[in-house]
Amino acid sequence: MKILIAYGSTEGQTRKVVNAIAKQIKELGHEAKKFDTSDLLGELHPNSFDRIIVAGSVHEKMHQESLEFFVVAHREQLKTGPALFISISLAAAFANGMADAQGYVDHFSKNTGWHPQKSLMLAGALRHGEYGLFKEHILEHIVLKGRDLEDPASDHEFTDWERLSLDIDEFIAS
Ligand SMILES: Cc1cc2nc3c(=O)[nH]c(=O)nc-3n(C[C@H](O)[C@H](O)[C@H](O)COP(=O)(O)O)c2cc1C
């Protein structure tokens, strides 16, 4: 089976998730093709794949614009074939953030006209080395506001790798 993983990643966590998924798919004996939707020169024929995974991260409540463009361009195929949407955010790391995480997915669906059969809301990471003052400000005053985090000045990886692996197994087997 040939599986396409189209993704957008701003600071690298989604890319790390995509690399883990590609490794798992290969270990299951299938072929995985990664496609960074910001790569405007990359050539791609999505209809030559058996399954498609679309993965992106949330910044200021929105997924990457290039990911939205990709989905709009290939919407008909995404609607008919087996496809999985993975939305990575910090909201998904907190019990009181799940409604926000769902809101980001709903907003993406509304913008693109694609309502995935299955969506996975996955917690991302905090990587202070990747941010300048502006991003730090947004994180501290908007994204992490009202969310209890011990030592917010340190890097954190919240991604639940075990759950991701189980969901990928299920998607491949479906
Ligand atoms: C400037 C900035 C804005 C962010 N905005 C949001 C947000 O609105 N909601 C949220 O849940 N997470 C937000 N995040 C957290 C990211 O979704 C999280 O760090 C994710 O792991 C980033 O994935 P990436 O490295 O693949 O881009 C934001 C992060 C940054 C740096």
Side-chain angles (χ1 to χ4, degrees):
M1 192 155 45
K2 278 176 77 180
I3 296 143
L4 171 65
I5 317 165
Y7 71 95
S9 184
T10 307
E11 285 99 27
Q13 187 65 13
T14 309
R15 187 170 294 108
K16 188 172 172 184
V17 165
V18 165
N19 286 339
I21 296 173
K23 186 167 175 274
Q24 184 176 344
I25 289 172
K26 283 177 197 158
E27 283 167 2
L28 289 168
H30 304 295
E31 202 179 308
K33 158 93 180 151
K34 295 178 276 182
F35 179 71
D36 182 341
T37 55
S38 69
D39 176 8
L40 298 177
L41 298 176
E43 216 187 301
L44 191 70
H45 302 286
N47 52 8
S48 60
F49 293 90
D50 304 294
R51 280 178 176 37
I52 302 181
I53 297 171
V54 175
S57 60
V58 175
H59 289 77
E60 296 178 67
K61 303 183 194 299
M62 302 279 292
H63 293 83
Q64 283 81 9
E65 198 175 50
S66 65
L67 200 71
E68 288 197 356
F69 289 155
F70 173 87
V71 167
V72 170
H74 303 293
R75 192 171 49 207
E76 290 319 308
Q77 198 200 337
L78 287 165
K79 278 181 182 174
T80 50
L84 168 70
F85 180 45
I86 303 178
S87 170
I88 295 182
S89 68
L90 277 185
F94 300 90
N96 70 356
M98 292 315 290
D100 283 349
Q102 181 65 58
Y104 306 145
V105 171
D106 294 345
H107 191 69
F108 185 79
S109 288
K110 191 165 171 247
N111 276 1
T112 58
W114 177 45
H115 301 273
Q117 300 116 330
K118 188 167 165 55
S119 297
L120 174 58
M121 290 168 286
L122 199 64
L126 261 184
R127 299 201 191 287
H128 293 283
E130 302 289 327
Y131 314 141
L133 274 181
F134 180 64
K135 285 189 177 184
E136 285 288 359
H137 185 84
I138 291 173
L139 276 165
E140 184 186 340
H141 297 285
I142 301 172
V143 184
L144 292 176
K145 196 173 168 208
R147 302 214 160 118
D148 220 9
L149 183 61
E150 220 177 276
D151 197 10
S154 297
D155 285 359
H156 291 269
E157 187 176 75
F158 301 96
T159 309
D160 184 343
W161 296 102
E162 210 172 304
R163 184 181 147 216
L164 173 69
S165 169
L166 290 173
D167 279 325
I168 295 301
D169 273 346
E170 190 185 299
F171 175 64
I172 300 302
S174 65

